[in-house]
Amino acid sequence: MDPAPALDAQPDAAPDAAPAVPRQTPRHQQLIVTIYGLYGRANGGALPVSVLISMLDDLGVESSGVRSSVSRLKRRGVLESVRQGGVAAYRLAPNLEDVFQEGDRRIFSPRRATAADRWLLIAFSVPESQRHLRHQLRSMLTRMGFGSVTPGLWIAPGNTYEDISHQLERAGLTEYVEFFKAEHLTAGDVKDKVSRWWDLPALESLYAEFIERFAPVLERWEPAGAPEPGPDADRAAFADYVQLLTQWRRLPYLDPGLPEEFLPPGWRGLTAERIFAELHRLLNGPARQHAERLLGATGGSA
């Protein structure tokens, strides 16, 4: 539902060193991208300025913060100004729709590999005259959840091929990359190797932050404590749901869906996945109803 997350770049990795997991505090721009991914695309890709300001107000963002964030997104080519029914609006850049569709698959159709599945290996070679592309490749592979076997050899479950090949093609980097499907034949426990190829403690800490933030939200919305249905409950659901998606949507990129057999005992990612799925089930409908009310007031529809 959103473009590949704009994450901090990873420094050059040493051999057998797990790539650093980027950290990022959600910003207003990320909330806006989430809103467009959820509601703008169903409205012809556009949201009236007044509706966008109202939606962000429900999230505690002042109108001045909305306008400055929109300006940054326009400069990045994510949004563009349009007139919709004589009303000022912003819409997603049309060339981003396939990127959002890839995000939909990552976020709403989670997949986890099994120990019997083959691995996807990516080897790349970049001429010295274009060495800046090495950093770009490493950053892209990191934020797509790849582990580092050596500086030029990266690994992920085999079912990630389609997504990463599209990302590299969009970035114009496929000519430097070779793809392989492989089985691990070296002696030794694959689980130990996985812990070297990926920074699992850093990834698990991101899941722990998510659980700490949203486990209490799930308790609020479970049947025993849920608010009475109506506009106020829909508004509250909207605020929680947008925050939920904004914090969650980068995790399915950083986590490639490693087999449970290769993960540490009590892996918190599984708990986080359950919390996200349950909150999505509870909040998606009422949150959309709130968005439809706001859009209906301006003649739009979600």
Side-chain angles (χ1 to χ4, degrees), residues 25-54:
T25 301
R27 299 189 299 268
H28 297 166
Q29 293 176 58
Q30 293 173 299
L31 294 172
I32 292 172
V33 168
T34 298
I35 286 172
Y36 271 91
L38 289 170
Y39 310 115
R41 294 155 68 198
N43 195 49
L47 292 173
V49 175
S50 60
V51 170
L52 188 57
I53 289 174
S54 294

Side-chain angles (χ1 to χ4, degrees), residues 159-173:
N159 58 15
T160 59
Y161 169 71
E162 183 178 349
D163 284 349
I164 189 61
S165 62
H166 288 167
Q167 292 275 354
L168 292 169
E169 183 177 358
R170 238 189 327 264
L173 296 172

Side-chain angles (χ1 to χ4, degrees), residues 134-152:
R134 295 175 194 165
H135 180 75
Q136 186 178 347
L137 272 164
R138 291 185 181 116
S139 297
M140 181 175 294
L141 292 170
T142 298
R143 65 176 180 257
M144 291 295 290
F146 276 70
S148 176
V149 180
T150 68

